[in-house]
Amino acid sequence: MPHTSKFKFGQLGIHAFFWLFVIGSLLPFALIVMVSISGESSIEQHGYSLFPSEIRFTAYTFLFHDFSEIARAYGVTIICTVIGTLVSLLVTTLLAYPLSRTELPFRRSLSFYVFFTMLFSGGMVPWYMTFTNLLPMKNTLLAMIIPGMLLSAFNVLLMRSFFHNSIPDSVVESATMDGASEIQVFFRIIVPLSLPIMGTIGLFQTLSYWNDWYNCMLFIDDPKLYNIQYMMTKTLTNVQYLLMKSSSSAQAGDMLAKMPRETVRMALAVVGFAPLLIAYPFFQRFYVSGITNGAVKG
Amino acid sequence: MRKYAKAVMAATLSSMLVLSACGGNNNAPSGEQGSNTGNQNANNGAKEEGKLDPYKITLVYPASAPKDLELVQAEMSKYLTEKINATIELKPIEWGSWEDKTNLMKVSNEQFDLMFTASWYFLPQDVTKGQYIELDDLMAQYGKDIPGVLGPDFLKGARINGKLYALPTKKEFGQGFGFLLSKKLVDKYKFDVNGVKTIEEMEAMFKTIKDNEPDVTPVISSKFANTWGASNYDGIVAGLSVPRGSKEIKLSDNLEDPKYLDFFKRMREWNKNGWFDKDVLTSDSEVAMTMIKAGKGFATASSLKPGKDKEMSVSYGVDLVQVETAEPFTTTGDAQGAMLGISRTSKDPARAMMFLNLLYTDEKLINMLDWGIEGTHFVKKGDNVIDYPAGMTAETQTYPNPGGWMFGNQFISYLWANEDPNKWKQFEAFNNRSERSAILGFSFNQEPVKSELASIANVENEFIDALFAGAVDPEKTIAKWKEKRAAAGFDAVKAEVEKQLAAWAQNQQ
């Protein structure tokens, strides 16, 4: 039957496309892993290769001879991610929910105030000064949790619309009639009903905390508080920067010679992404079920 | 039901937008201006020597923080307390984060005392903004030993508009230009590498390699062209320079200079002969070292100083020899190659100057800063020769050298057992024979022609790599370059340079 064969053909095409897509996404990772376990001389002779002529784990022994540094950086990242995500979800919800309620006085002005911060900001320098001079956050974990990350106006507005559109006022009304206080309404009715948006925002907060190195770069001087992403980023940016300057200063060229070799840089990248890569499938299962749970309700 | 599905979709989609927005939002702070440029009173807080109040000196420099930083800091503080009743806080900042981080430190009036700077490392910008205080009076009062250590030429070169804003490290004073060659191949073909070679003699070597070693690239990377330029011209901006050897102060335009054109023609020739590597447009010194190490390359050009070949051999683990093709040449850039300035946010500039004075004279202090604590990070093998303590190697050391060339007097820094024991004597000789530029001490203030310079730099980027690599016909390309450069406002820049140069020359007499 021509109909079925056409259908099969179409499916084959889709499958082929996605297989290619998957391979295309995975290849760079495979390459990083392979380069990190290549021997130095193999890279010198043949450049980067998926099949190095010589396999060595020297880069890893170099990285792990002092594992405390990496373990510490992981600790910092995990603490900031967990605390940051939880607090950020709480704060976002607590701001978004009242804004969604029509009986809130000055609702429009408050919403506009939140919205306004999306369009205009005080600029880099005042922002930095707020967190260093006004609030002494330099060289503390707070600096990697609060500045620019804890509360995103966009998330607030997103959540406000969700509450506004998806949770009928009558639900709140009936709960109030049954004698629930505002706090009870919020935690027993609203939060369970808004799992999909919580899941979505929570996941992206997690990712942005996990991937953040910029705050760490600006606010942290103490190497004991470096997070894992900054540890990786600094290695790469140091090399790039010195390469750029090596033509204007002989010394920059000399410094370059002391930077970690390619295999070490790649091994560092592997150490950085491997745990998340392993953990992500598990998180994703919850994430997907969270969304579908929310979706069938109603 | 449909409503919910829609909401979820919207939520997911918009969250993606958030994600992408996160990516774009980490813009580097670009050129934020400091508002407070008022100079502090230089003598603020200085007391009579002998009854100094305790003070903490903060030293900011580019480096990765080593593991034993606090240990060394404590030891230095102990020593400094005895000397000038001060403690020290070492504040290394990663090279890659330096610009973002220090810009914010400066504009937010963060308190620190000393900061590393250089003409290639934000000194001109910071002087314009008034970040560093003038040092002449302070040096006369609290840094009496410094002029004697540095000598007049160094101090002359370090000045900007006749004023001293930062003190240079005493290190090599001038740049040699030449090639680093693979020792294996030099030995195999018995090349003579002694003395200064002409570029023609080098070409004979390259030809031999090309003819006899089919797998070896004679020259890797053309990035050296800048260094070649620096050894022949005292470049000011935009290709305007005073050529080496000229006795009078007369501005010349590199693109009009026949010697410059000859150089490009030579590069064209080299390229046609197949002497460059196939990635010559992008390859850099790191690629060059890797290729030489792998036995696939013969030479790369580089700025030279005594013992550069040994240093690079150790760093990259391949035997190299260096050949000079020009006598060293000293320009303002060399005097301002590595300096320490006192910040306007320092609470006690006098103490910072006392500390600087020690960095130029006190062997014990500078070696603590450079190499760590004796017995823990190094052991003495001779008067000024050191080595790793038993069980420690370059990989496992806990206080790797931040860069002795950044601080004070490098000539009193200890030498390692595998280094030439006469290194500093050779440096001294090198500095003495280096030819001084006619305009040593002139630095150009870019402010008045900033926008023109930016567009001229864009024009330059369009042509320069291809010309240096010999990938295009020099005459035609230079003609095109000149045309675009003129449109970008070259004449205004030239006039400004001439004006400032004339004013400077007037002051010299």
Side-chain angles (χ1 to χ4, degrees), chain A residues 44-45 62 65-66 124-125 128-129 133 138 154-155 158 162 165-166 196-197 200 204 214 217-218 220-221 223-224 226 230 234 237-238 241-243 245 247-251 254-258 261 265 287 291 295 297-298, chain B residues 1 3-4 7-8 11-12 14-15 18-19 26-29 32 64-65 67 70 91 94-97 100-101 104-105 107-108 110 120-122 171-172 226 284 286 290 293-294 296 303 305 308 311 315-316 395 401-402 405:
Chain A
E44 280 155 17
Q45 294 290 345
F62 173 81
H65 88 259
D66 185 14
M124 187 76 192
V125 176
Y128 175 83
M129 287 174 82
N133 296 2
K138 221 177 171 190
F154 190 79
N155 283 352
L158 201 66
F162 179 88
N165 298 331
S166 316
I197 188 84
T200 314
F204 291 130
Y214 192 70
M217 179 201 83
L218 282 185
I220 307 296
D221 292 329
K224 288 201 185 85
Y226 284 171
Y230 182 58
K234 78 180 167 78
T237 48
N238 282 350
Y241 189 81
L242 288 172
L243 270 176
K245 286 285 181 193
S247 62
S248 45
S249 161
Q251 267 76 28
D254 297 352
M255 298 302 292
L256 197 60
K258 293 183 184 145
R261 302 273 140 256
R265 288 179 223 158
Y287 168 58
I291 286 191
K297 251 185 207 131
Chain B
M1 173 87 186
K3 217 172 162 193
Y4 285 100
V8 171
T12 328
S14 352
S15 312
V18 177
L19 248 196
N26 292 339
N27 288 329
E32 245 105 1
S64 286
K67 201 160 169 250
E70 274 161 40
K91 216 173 195 182
E94 304 287 342
W95 283 95
S97 322
D100 287 337
K101 219 164 163 167
L104 286 170
M105 285 171 67
V107 297
S108 67
E110 195 163 312
W120 53 276
Y121 211 59
F122 314 109
K171 56 184 191 75
E172 79 272 16
N226 279 328
D284 49 47
E286 214 189 348
T290 319
K293 196 177 170 193
K296 291 203 279 192
S303 70
K305 60 183 182 180
K308 172 101 176 184
E311 248 173 55
S315 306
Y316 283 99
E395 271 83 47
N401 175 233
W405 53 273

Side-chain angles (χ1 to χ4, degrees), chain B residues 162-211:
Chain B
K163 285 173 191 142
L164 199 58
Y165 290 100
L167 287 173
T169 307
K170 184 170 186 189
K171 56 184 191 75
E172 79 272 16
F173 191 39
Q175 269 192 47
F177 172 72
F179 289 83
L180 290 170
L181 311 177
S182 158
K183 185 160 192 297
K184 204 176 75 193
L185 288 167
V186 168
D187 290 348
K188 185 171 169 191
Y189 292 99
K190 304 195 171 55
F191 290 135
D192 174 26
V193 294
N194 293 316
V196 177
K197 300 282 158 196
T198 59
I199 221 130
E200 282 76 16
E201 283 173 278
M202 295 307 301
E203 285 179 340
M205 287 187 207
F206 299 150
K207 193 167 182 327
T208 313
I209 295 292
K210 180 77 189 170
D211 293 346

Side-chain angles (χ1 to χ4, degrees), chain A:
Chain A
M1 282 186 288
H3 191 72
T4 3
S5 85
K6 198 178 169 191
F7 172 72
K8 268 188 184 152
F9 184 75
Q11 199 163 40
L12 199 74
I14 293 174
H15 274 261
F17 171 77
F18 276 104
W19 273 109
L20 283 178
F21 188 77
V22 166
I23 293 172
S25 317
L26 286 180
L27 263 183
F29 285 101
L31 190 62
I32 291 176
V33 174
M34 289 323 278
V35 171
S36 76
I37 59 172
S38 302
E40 278 290 325
S41 61
S42 154
I43 292 187
E44 280 155 17
Q45 294 290 345
H46 312 292
Y48 294 168
S49 159
L50 275 175
F51 308 100
S53 58
E54 176 195 21
I55 294 207
R56 286 258 177 106
F57 291 93
T58 39
Y60 289 93
T61 42
F62 173 81
L63 276 185
F64 286 97
H65 88 259
D66 185 14
F67 186 60
S68 63
E69 217 179 321
I70 293 175
R72 198 173 243 290
Y74 257 120
V76 171
T77 301
I78 290 169
I79 291 175
C80 290
T81 307
V82 172
I83 299 183
T85 308
L86 291 179
V87 177
S88 149
L89 263 183
L90 185 73
V91 178
T92 310
T93 329
L94 284 179
L95 178 56
Y97 173 62
L99 286 180
S100 77
R101 295 279 297 271
T102 36
E103 59 265 44
L104 182 79
F106 305 114
R107 176 166 162 263
R108 286 194 172 278
S109 333
L110 281 173
S111 292
F112 179 74
Y113 175 72
V114 171
F115 175 66
F116 187 76
T117 61
M118 276 171 69
L119 301 180
F120 301 99
S121 75
M124 187 76 192
V125 176
W127 178 76
Y128 175 83
M129 287 174 82
T130 308
F131 293 108
T132 50
N133 296 2
L134 206 62
L135 309 165
M137 278 193 201
K138 221 177 171 190
N139 285 322
T140 62
L141 285 178
L142 282 181
M144 284 180 278
I145 295 179
I146 296 178
M149 305 191 68
L150 192 67
L151 188 64
S152 133
F154 190 79
N155 283 352
V156 171
L157 295 184
L158 201 66
M159 214 175 226
R160 188 200 60 173
S161 321
F162 179 88
F163 289 143
H164 196 70
N165 298 331
S166 316
I167 300 177
D169 284 345
S170 48
V171 175
V172 179
E173 256 168 50
S174 66
T176 327
M177 262 186 259
D178 287 342
S181 67
E182 282 291 347
I183 299 282
Q184 273 171 327
V185 170
F186 179 71
F187 282 107
R188 318 260 311 245
I189 311 282
I190 304 298
V191 172
L193 276 180
S194 52
L195 280 179
I197 188 84
M198 294 270 208
T200 314
I201 291 184
L203 184 84
F204 291 130
Q205 280 301 100
T206 311
L207 282 180
S208 61
Y209 273 113
W210 186 275
N211 289 333
D212 175 66
W213 53 269
Y214 192 70
N215 279 4
C216 184
M217 179 201 83
L218 282 185
F219 295 110
I220 307 296
D221 292 329
D222 183 356
K224 288 201 185 85
L225 289 177
Y226 284 171
N227 63 24
I228 191 81
Q229 303 295 349
Y230 182 58
M231 268 185 73
M232 291 192 288
T233 314
K234 78 180 167 78
T235 321
L236 294 177
T237 48
N238 282 350
V239 172
Q240 281 165 1
Y241 189 81
L242 288 172
L243 270 176
M244 192 178 86
K245 286 285 181 193
S246 63
S247 62
S248 45
S249 161
Q251 267 76 28
D254 297 352
M255 298 302 292
L256 197 60
K258 293 183 184 145
M259 288 290 145
R261 302 273 140 256
E262 262 137 29
T263 51
V264 177
R265 288 179 223 158
M266 295 300 171
L268 204 58
V270 173
V271 170
F273 70 65
L276 201 64
L277 211 62
I278 296 164
Y280 192 73
F282 297 98
F283 283 129
Q284 203 191 21
R285 224 182 56 206
F286 293 117
Y287 168 58
V288 172
S289 74
I291 286 191
T292 39
N293 272 353
V296 276
K297 251 185 207 131

